[in-house]
Amino acid sequence: WEWADELPPPRPSLPASTDVKELIAQATRPGDADKRVEAVNALRAMGPKARPAVPHLVGLLDDPNDRLRRAADAALEAIGPPA
């Protein structure tokens, strides 16, 4: 299919919410690690707008789940240093 080369790459699915407080709640809620990582990745995608999540993301750096720790680290980097 020639037209298939013209399609953009698939976008990762992100939680429907773009509300920082809701994403923080999803990221810190015990349970499904995949959903928690998705929420953290959504916060990362928001960049500096997700600054209120920083203390919660720092707390996730001690989580036993390696994927969640790495996602939190990447989110903190994307949010950037405090103003």
Side-chain angles (χ1 to χ4, degrees):
W1 301 79
E2 292 177 25
W3 56 268
D5 293 334
E6 298 172 13
L7 295 175
R11 295 175 63 190
S13 63
L14 295 176
S17 177
T18 57
D19 177 63
V20 174
K21 289 181 183 179
E22 178 58 30
L23 290 170
I24 291 169
Q26 290 175 21
T28 57
R29 186 176 300 132
D32 186 341
D34 289 336
K35 288 184 181 184
R36 295 176 73 197
V37 170
E38 286 178 9
V40 171
N41 286 337
L43 290 165
R44 182 186 72 192
M46 295 175 77
K49 293 179 187 176
R51 190 161 315 283
V54 167
H56 305 280
L57 293 169
V58 169
L60 292 177
L61 295 175
D62 291 328
D63 195 272
N65 185 295
D66 183 57
R67 285 183 51 231
L68 190 56
R69 287 193 313 268
R70 286 185 284 133
D73 184 55
L76 287 166
E77 186 175 326
I79 292 168

